[in-house]
């Protein structure tokens, strides 16, 4: 046996040539890294975000520099009518891969966590994931193939502190992933999720700037560092690839070993 696999074999497993991928929350952070990774593997990208520019952007550059096409779509995931319209649009585009990465967080103690904050987080993180998965997934089922990867969280497994809406939404995303996989696995559609740990993105800026809290987090992570967005993108690429064809309903922690402690 050779020490390395032939290039043709690895490309057969992980190449996405000619596929069309939708990545939500694509304008920055994890979403940008995912779009870049999928484009590098050969996919054309539709990037969705509430603030994504129609013209030049970091994500457009990352995708087009790899020779793939990039289409930006603006959508506010807190606007139910906008999400419904987006889902109908995308369902008609023969999407091969859907990455439900867009999300938000509101940090307040449970005793003062408002209805408005709770509803906002649930709409953005959970309802949008369901509506897009339902509409695009229906079209995938009709064609007999497709990959859906949702973004869960460590807080799909744990309770967290001061984030009751976020924890509720991400626990539900994990459950939704399994429910959809149960229905669609036999129809050629893989539905899985990644569960990122503590990632150095805008969402964790406040935590990273709190010296004591940041050190507490690092002390708990066996890998000894915060994740980079590219760490999450690699796991998503795997779940979108042929290498993951027999994986259904998995919620894959990408956490530097946090949950193993």
């Amino acid at each position: 046996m050779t020490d390395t696999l032939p290039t043709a074999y690895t490309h057969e497993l992980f190449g996405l040539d000619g596929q069309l991928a939708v990545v939500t929350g694509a304008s920055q952070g994890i979403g940008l890294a995912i779009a870049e990774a999928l484009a590098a593997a050969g996919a054309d990208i539709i990037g969705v975000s509430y603030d994504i520019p129609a013209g030049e952007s970091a994500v457009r550059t990352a995708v087009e520099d790899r020779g793939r096409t990039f289409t930006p779509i603006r959508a506010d995931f807190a606007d139910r009518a906008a999400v419904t319209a987006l889902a109908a649009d995308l369902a008609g585009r023969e999407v091969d891969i859907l990455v439900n990465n867009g999300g938000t967080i509101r940090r307040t103690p449970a005793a003062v966590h408002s209805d408005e904050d709770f509803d906002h987080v649930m709409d953005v993180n959970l309802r949008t994931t369901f509506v897009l998965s339902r509409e695009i997934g229906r079209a995938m089922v009709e064609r007999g193939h497709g990959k859906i990867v949702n973004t869960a969280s460590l807080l799909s497994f744990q309770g967290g502190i001061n984030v009751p809406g976020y924890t509720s939404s991400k626990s539900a995303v994990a459950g939704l992933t399994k429910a959809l996989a149960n229905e669609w696995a036999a129809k050629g559609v893989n539905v899985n999720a990644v569960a990122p740990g503590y990632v150095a993105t805008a969402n964790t800026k406040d935590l990273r700037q709190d010296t004591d809290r940041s050190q507490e987090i690092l002390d708990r992570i066996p890998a000894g560092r915060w994740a980079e967005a590219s760490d999450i993108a690699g796991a998503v690429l795997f779940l979108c690839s042929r290498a993951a064809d027999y994986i259904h309903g998995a919620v894959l922690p990408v956490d530097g070993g946090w949950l193993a402690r």
Side-chain angles (χ1 to χ4, degrees):
M1 181 179 293
T2 58
D3 291 334
T4 58
L5 293 172
T7 300
Y9 179 71
T10 56
H11 189 76
E12 180 182 343
L13 280 180
F14 298 102
L16 303 176
D17 290 348
Q19 297 193 44
L20 177 61
V22 172
V23 181
T24 69
S27 62
Q28 62 181 337
I30 294 172
L32 192 161
I34 291 169
E36 183 174 8
L38 299 185
D44 295 319
I45 306 296
I46 296 174
V48 184
S49 177
Y50 74 94
D51 63 351
I52 201 162
E56 294 302 313
S57 65
V59 63
R60 178 187 288 277
T61 298
V63 171
E64 292 183 347
D65 280 356
R66 282 150 184 82
R68 310 314 305 173
T69 65
F70 178 74
T71 304
I73 298 178
R74 281 194 173 196
D76 180 357
F77 288 175
D79 182 337
R80 292 189 170 193
V83 171
T84 298
L86 172 67
D89 175 12
L90 294 175
R93 297 195 187 215
E94 296 197 10
V95 173
D96 300 291
I97 295 166
L98 168 63
V99 181
N100 285 307
N101 170 73
T104 191
I105 193 167
R106 297 287 173 88
R107 298 182 186 276
T108 51
V112 294
H113 199 80
S114 69
D115 292 350
E116 291 76 15
D117 278 354
F118 188 89
D119 290 344
H120 176 80
V121 171
M122 293 295 284
D123 274 350
V124 173
N125 293 359
L126 176 61
R127 186 180 182 279
T128 296
T129 293
F130 172 64
V131 172
L132 294 181
S133 296
R134 182 188 64 202
E135 298 305 310
I136 296 172
R138 182 189 299 120
M140 288 177 172
V141 167
E142 290 171 356
R143 295 195 301 272
H145 68 87
K147 306 277 189 181
I148 297 175
V149 179
N150 298 324
T151 302
S153 168
L154 283 187
L155 299 190
S156 300
F157 305 96
Q158 300 178 326
I161 299 170
N162 295 335
V163 286
Y166 184 82
T167 298
S168 298
S169 70
K170 292 302 186 178
S171 297
V173 166
L176 176 63
T177 298
K178 297 172 186 178
L180 296 179
N182 286 342
E183 294 193 36
W184 294 345
K187 302 180 186 300
V189 178
N190 298 72
V191 186
N192 294 292
V194 290
Y198 286 91
V199 188
T201 65
N203 271 355
T204 61
K205 181 179 178 181
D206 289 345
L207 288 177
R208 287 181 286 117
Q209 289 181 338
D210 182 334
T211 303
D212 292 339
R213 179 64 177 138
S214 180
Q215 191 59 52
E216 287 176 358
I217 290 168
L218 286 172
D219 288 344
R220 167 71 187 267
I221 301 172
R225 66 175 178 87
W226 288 71
E228 299 295 334
S230 58
D231 293 316
I232 314 305
V236 172
L237 173 58
F238 164 63
L239 291 174
C240 291
S241 74
R242 295 176 183 86
D245 278 353
Y246 199 62
I247 298 177
H248 296 276
V251 182
L252 174 62
V254 189
D255 64 354
W258 176 279
L259 289 174
R261 289 294 290 265

